[in-house]
Amino acid sequence: MSTMGDEALLNKPGLPVPKATVISQPHWDGCKKGQLLVQHCDECNAYTFPPEIVCPQCLKSSLLWKQSSGKGVIYSFTVVHRPQRPEFAAPYVAAIIELEEGWHMMSNIIDCDIDSIEIGQAVEVSYVKREDFSLPMFKLLTVP
Amino acid sequence: MKKNPLHDIAIVATYNTRQSRRLENENDLSLILEIIRGLIDSAGVKTSDIDGINISTPVWNLKPREALQILNSETRWCGNEFMGISAVLEAAGAIATGQAEMIMIASAQAGEYTSGESTAPWTRPTHEFIECFGLYTAAEFALCAQRHMKLYGTTPESLAEVASTIRNNGNKHPKAAFYGKPNVSPDDVLDSRMVTSPFHLLDCCITSEGGAGLIITTAERAKDMDVDAVYLLGAGTDRQGMSYTRAPVWDKCGDIGKRAANRAFSQAGIRPKDVDVCEFYDPFSFEIIRQFETYGFCDLGEGGDFVMDGRIALDGEFPISTNGGLMSFGHSGTVQMLQKVTAAYDQLCNRVPDEINVANAKVAMASNGGSGALFCDVMLLGTEPA
Ligand SMILES: [Zn+2]
């Protein structure tokens, strides 16, 4: 089992917290409320992540924050045995998540058997507190 | 077709310091001075002949404009900090547009990587959507490799073949950080501990200290010098925004470098089959496989098979990283980018030990950057002008 489901380990002092910007702050505020917010363009219907100042598809400035379903699939993953820094409890799973709406984000897969992770598996967002942030991580979606 | 002014440019000297995990009693300034002296000596020129520079060191934070002060008080053309192929191309552009005639490019790094606990500082992204999830360079490239393996059935054995080949070249180069190390078999690679799947320890580059530099000038001027000239045949630079700030989604970044390579081959008037030596960016084994596909040496998805059966060995069709590349020769910050060009020059001019010399090599391809980094630059170089 991955140690990455362990709240204490995931919130260990020294672990990096996001350096939010004026542009990204709404995303992190959303996470605190349990909402996965992503920028959406009303003009061309494109989703943009990480946050930008304009829609890179049509250059309109009318980007609005929209709530994602928080469901998606594992686009790719890597089981990290050599941690970025010692505070991270290795092994852990780093992954690219493809959200239902078609956009991608980097995150961790937590509460999982790291040996059975596969590309294409369905996942759902789950928030993990770290200092003043709630980090959007993902758990495997179990079919009922 | 209009003549490409790039074809009037030649590299006339290269210099590499010794590379090592740690270079005791050196710092990047001492290395830079060694390189400057070495290049001037090798090219047989005077300091006053150098009328342009792009010299920088990331640790002591020596900027190119500051480096001018080391080379007396003459006014010169001065390049930007970005190193490697794009620095050579920038200098070539300056020469081609009459801004300078002979430019020295150099970079060095020592004294930064002191703790073994974390990954090297320059491999640790600080971006808000990356850092907190424990990602770093190797993990980001691993995400590309893993997707490729899923889509095309690329095997860990192919990755290991690449790593083994590169490492066994480097341990025969006297200036390599891993000079004299015993040979590494593909099985040794597969047996080494996992760093970030699918990369084992020996699939990954090393981190080390060292420096490198080169001098470029006009082909005309090169003829009057007592040097070996290597000519620029073609080049291209592909960028997709900042490295390590967004997910390296294979569908979007998997073929980064394709546009650059197409451009370079078209400028050079040659095709991949004409390349004799491949000094490709090799931070992780998989990246070599990706580049053979992206640059058109083989079809998409076939890179795993392509690197097998000795094809990438020194006596094969497409020898890779003949000096040991980032896995064995050296990997110090941005110095490695320039070292892909110096490796091409040294190989084409037979300035490597016989054991790792590719016989009759006339065309080399160098590259910087790759999928996980969201940039990829390539350069074709030859013993004869285009
Ligand atoms: Zn739009």
Side-chain angles (χ1 to χ4, degrees):
Chain A
M1 283 298 286
S2 166
T3 48
M4 282 304 275
D6 186 321
E7 282 286 331
L9 281 172
L10 286 165
N11 199 11
K12 192 174 172 184
L15 280 173
V17 292
K19 295 163 193 76
T21 68
V22 175
I23 302 166
S24 68
Q25 193 60 51
H27 170 84
W28 296 114
D29 291 344
C31 288
K32 263 189 203 172
K33 289 183 269 182
Q35 299 175 348
L36 190 65
L37 300 185
V38 58
Q39 286 176 321
H40 180 256
C41 177
D42 277 353
E43 293 284 338
C44 74
N45 218 23
Y47 287 90
T48 294
F49 190 87
E52 292 286 359
I53 49 170
V54 294
C55 171
Q57 305 305 321
C58 71
L59 293 179
K60 292 284 184 325
S61 304
S62 54
L63 288 173
L64 296 172
W65 290 95
K66 206 168 167 176
Q67 187 174 348
S68 161
S69 71
K71 290 195 173 78
V73 295
I74 299 175
Y75 179 85
S76 193
F77 73 96
T78 177
V79 180
V80 183
H81 293 263
R82 160 89 160 108
Q84 176 207 75
R85 54 186 79 202
E87 290 82 5
F88 280 101
Y92 54 91
V93 182
I96 300 174
I97 310 298
E98 183 170 282
L99 278 302
E100 264 181 352
E101 301 86 8
W103 57 286
H104 297 88
M105 72 176 297
M106 300 274 236
S107 186
N108 295 126
I109 311 293
I110 55 171
D111 270 350
C112 62
D113 173 10
I114 56 166
D115 294 326
S116 63
I117 295 285
E118 279 183 51
I119 288 174
Q121 280 179 316
V123 291
E124 185 173 32
V125 71
S126 173
Y127 297 91
V128 171
K129 203 174 139 41
R130 186 179 296 169
E131 295 185 28
D132 288 338
F133 284 85
S134 277
L135 302 183
M137 296 189 177
F138 288 80
K139 288 182 178 173
L140 293 178
L141 207 59
T142 40
V143 189
Chain B
M1 208 169 85
K2 216 172 119 206
K3 188 168 166 54
N4 187 336
L6 188 71
H7 297 154
D8 294 326
I9 312 290
I11 299 174
V12 293
T14 60
Y15 188 87
N16 274 281
T17 68
R18 191 171 60 87
Q19 318 288 313
S20 176
R21 288 284 288 176
R22 286 296 306 277
L23 288 169
E24 297 299 336
N25 304 318
E26 299 278 7
N27 56 53
D28 47 9
L29 217 45
S30 68
L31 295 179
I32 277 292
L33 289 169
E34 179 190 335
I35 297 163
I36 291 173
R37 292 180 184 123
L39 284 172
I40 284 173
D41 186 48
S42 161
V45 296
K46 298 190 298 291
T47 314
S48 56
D49 292 326
I50 310 290
D51 62 354
I53 66 147
N54 182 355
I55 298 172
S56 66
T57 79
V59 181
W60 288 63
N61 209 14
L62 179 75
K63 306 281 183 198
R65 281 186 68 176
E66 215 179 345
L68 284 166
Q69 295 164 201
I70 309 173
L71 294 172
N72 70 35
S73 57
E74 282 173 43
T75 50
R76 291 181 165 88
W77 175 87
C78 184
N80 293 297
E81 278 167 78
F82 209 83
M83 269 294 135
I85 286 166
S86 68
V88 175
L89 204 50
E90 180 197 27
I95 294 172
T97 57
Q99 309 307 308
E101 201 181 333
M102 185 177 288
I103 297 175
M104 179 186 284
I105 303 169
S107 182
Q109 177 156 311
E112 180 171 19
Y113 185 33
T114 50
S115 161
E117 281 210 316
S118 300
T119 57
W122 65 87
T123 70
R124 232 184 293 144
T126 56
H127 191 264
E128 61 181 315
F129 294 109
I130 304 293
E131 186 185 29
C132 60
F133 300 117
L135 284 142
Y136 57 101
T137 309
E140 299 224 18
F141 277 89
L143 292 168
C144 291
Q146 202 90 301
R147 180 82 188 169
H148 192 274
M149 293 167 92
K150 172 77 176 179
L151 288 176
Y152 305 112
T154 312
T155 63
E157 285 73 19
S158 287
L159 271 62
E161 180 79 14
V162 169
S164 156
T165 304
I166 295 175
R167 287 172 179 278
N168 296 345
N169 293 344
N171 62 24
K172 298 175 186 74
H173 195 299
K175 282 195 171 174
F178 276 17
Y179 175 58
K181 290 241 178 190
N183 273 356
V184 165
S185 71
D187 279 343
D188 292 335
V189 177
L190 295 170
D191 289 343
S192 63
R193 70 180 160 82
M194 195 61 91
V195 170
T196 180
S197 62
F199 299 146
H200 299 83
L201 181 68
L202 297 179
D203 283 303
C204 302
C205 58
I206 57 171
T207 52
S208 64
E209 301 184 335
L214 58 82
I215 292 178
I216 76 168
T217 185
T218 61
E220 194 66 31
R221 183 88 176 263
K223 275 188 213 137
D224 297 333
M225 300 168 72
D226 183 22
V227 292
D228 291 329
V230 164
Y231 301 87
L232 306 191
L233 307 180
T237 58
D238 280 6
R239 303 291 150 89
Q240 267 184 328
M242 298 299 287
S243 303
Y244 317 123
T245 61
R246 57 203 62 223
V249 175
W250 177 260
D251 297 344
K252 295 174 186 164
C253 71
D255 68 350
I256 191 159
K258 193 180 201 67
R259 172 189 167 281
N262 286 344
R263 204 155 279 235
F265 280 118
S266 141
Q267 289 172 358
I270 59 173
R271 291 188 287 168
K273 70 170 175 52
D274 301 315
V275 174
D276 300 313
V277 176
C278 302
E279 303 294 352
F280 292 171
Y281 180 55
D282 49 0
F284 308 101
S285 50
F286 167 71
E287 194 54 30
I288 294 288
I289 291 171
R290 187 198 76 84
Q291 290 175 80
F292 276 126
E293 296 178 0
T294 298
Y295 303 157
F297 287 77
C298 64
D299 286 340
L300 179 63
E302 289 180 359
D305 290 337
F306 188 80
V307 298
M308 302 303 280
D309 306 320
R311 187 176 271 127
I312 58 173
L314 289 165
D315 60 353
E317 206 179 342
F318 299 109
I320 54 163
S321 304
T322 60
N323 67 353
L326 276 67
M327 294 190 184
S328 177
F329 186 78
H331 174 208
S332 11
T334 53
V335 180
Q336 44 88 9
M337 295 164 72
L338 198 55
Q339 282 170 328
K340 288 300 171 188
V341 184
T342 64
Y345 178 95
D346 294 349
Q347 185 60 253
L348 292 179
C349 297
N350 304 311
R351 294 191 178 185
V352 294
D354 289 347
E355 266 188 298
I356 51 172
N357 190 23
V358 176
N360 302 316
K362 291 187 167 47
V363 174
M365 184 171 188
S367 69
N368 294 159
S371 53
L374 305 189
F375 85 94
C376 187
D377 300 344
V378 306
M379 180 167 270
L380 288 162
L381 307 100
T383 53
E384 301 292 332

